[in-house]
Amino acid sequence: MPLLEVYNLKKIYTTRFGGNPVQALTNVTFSIEQGEFTAVMGESGSGKTTLLNIIAALDKPTSGEVFLNGKNIVSIKEKEISAFRRDNIGFVFQDFNLLDTFSIKDNIFLPLVLAGKSYEEMIELLKPIVARLKIEDILEKYPYEVSGGQKQKTAIARALVTKPQLILADEPTGSLDSRSSSELLHLFNEINNDGQTILMVTHSIKAASFAKRVLFIKDGEVFHQLYKGSMSNEELYQKISDTLTLIATGGAHSE
């Protein structure tokens, strides 16, 4: 059974002032196996972020279903959603979403505190992750005292510390310089090679070329997908570039 199953997802937004409804997702169906690293690409307004928000249980679809490890996210009761999200999904955002009044260590601890873990348990979970991300030396600092790359590593540590079934990343390299971006993407590859499932929304062809599969969304639907297979990052980069050109020029997709 796939880890994540998305069926016939549709999302229509109605505007407050009676304007035309906006259809963000039309009929999205795909699945993700345990241990996959999948990127989602598409032009602005294609529905990528809406899709991610529904999978994250931050938004509800107009119709359709989303199953995470067999559990239907769409039907989870409102009062249980935040606990479900905290226990099963890790988030990495473009703008880090760190609390400036918390130290780096306390930012990482936050989901564990909310889950009621003891300090001893939290330290045990923290140690291997910060060693892996090489951020032991900044744990007592505050977000405004560290670089963008270190902030994103903190966000990744916070996402990983609960041992989630799925990591969702929304434009994770969007606020980083090219060196920090490369470091982050190599890190995602390592984490994925350890068995962590990752779903990443990105505009960056370079970021997507690190994934094992790329889904392309066009007009609210899955338009095409590419599997990396034995391709190098450079070869996949070229294929992604060609596909995006095809989408932009309105061409028909081909395998």
Side-chain angles (χ1 to χ4, degrees), residues 38-41 48-49 51-52 169-172 199-203:
T38 305
V40 177
M41 299 196 81
K48 304 185 302 295
T49 299
L51 175 64
L52 206 66
D170 191 3
E171 300 285 1
L199 178 62
M200 171 177 70
V201 161
T202 183
H203 275 105

Side-chain angles (χ1 to χ4, degrees), residues 109-210:
F109 276 165
L110 191 59
L112 299 176
V113 171
L114 295 171
K117 300 284 186 195
S118 71
Y119 187 74
E120 290 71 26
E121 284 177 288
M122 293 196 294
I123 289 292
E124 283 309 304
L125 289 164
L126 178 80
K127 279 179 184 170
I129 291 170
V130 297
R132 177 62 173 281
L133 299 177
K134 300 184 174 64
I135 53 172
E136 302 104 319
D137 56 335
I138 62 164
L139 289 178
E140 302 306 325
K141 292 189 173 181
Y142 287 81
Y144 55 83
E145 297 178 305
V146 303
S147 69
Q150 288 170 321
K151 284 180 192 172
Q152 198 56 296
K153 284 185 177 182
T154 304
I156 292 169
R158 182 184 57 194
L160 287 171
V161 78
T162 57
K163 300 190 172 174
Q165 296 190 58
L166 178 66
I167 292 272
L168 297 176
D170 191 3
E171 300 285 1
T173 61
S175 297
L176 302 177
D177 60 38
S178 59
R179 193 176 71 85
S180 297
S181 292
S182 288
E183 198 178 347
L184 174 90
L185 293 165
H186 283 291
L187 207 49
F188 268 9
N189 260 156
E190 284 177 29
I191 294 163
N192 173 245
N193 289 339
D194 284 347
Q196 178 66 59
T197 311
I198 302 171
L199 178 62
M200 171 177 70
V201 161
T202 183
H203 275 105
S204 163
I205 299 176
K206 180 186 174 182
S209 70
F210 276 76

Side-chain angles (χ1 to χ4, degrees), residues 212-216 224-228 231 236 239-241 243 254-255:
K212 291 177 180 167
R213 177 164 61 129
V214 186
L215 293 173
F216 297 89
H224 185 48
Q225 60 179 328
L226 290 171
Y227 284 89
K228 187 172 212 167
M231 276 190 267
L236 184 56
K239 287 259 191 191
I240 294 167
S241 182
T243 304
S254 57
E255 285 303 324

Side-chain angles (χ1 to χ4, degrees), residues 4-9 28-32 51 54-55 64-67 199:
L4 179 73
E5 297 168 281
V6 174
Y7 291 114
N8 304 325
L9 222 52
V28 174
T29 297
F30 67 92
S31 61
I32 289 180
L51 175 64
I54 291 171
I55 293 169
E65 296 178 307
V66 179
F67 293 92
L199 178 62

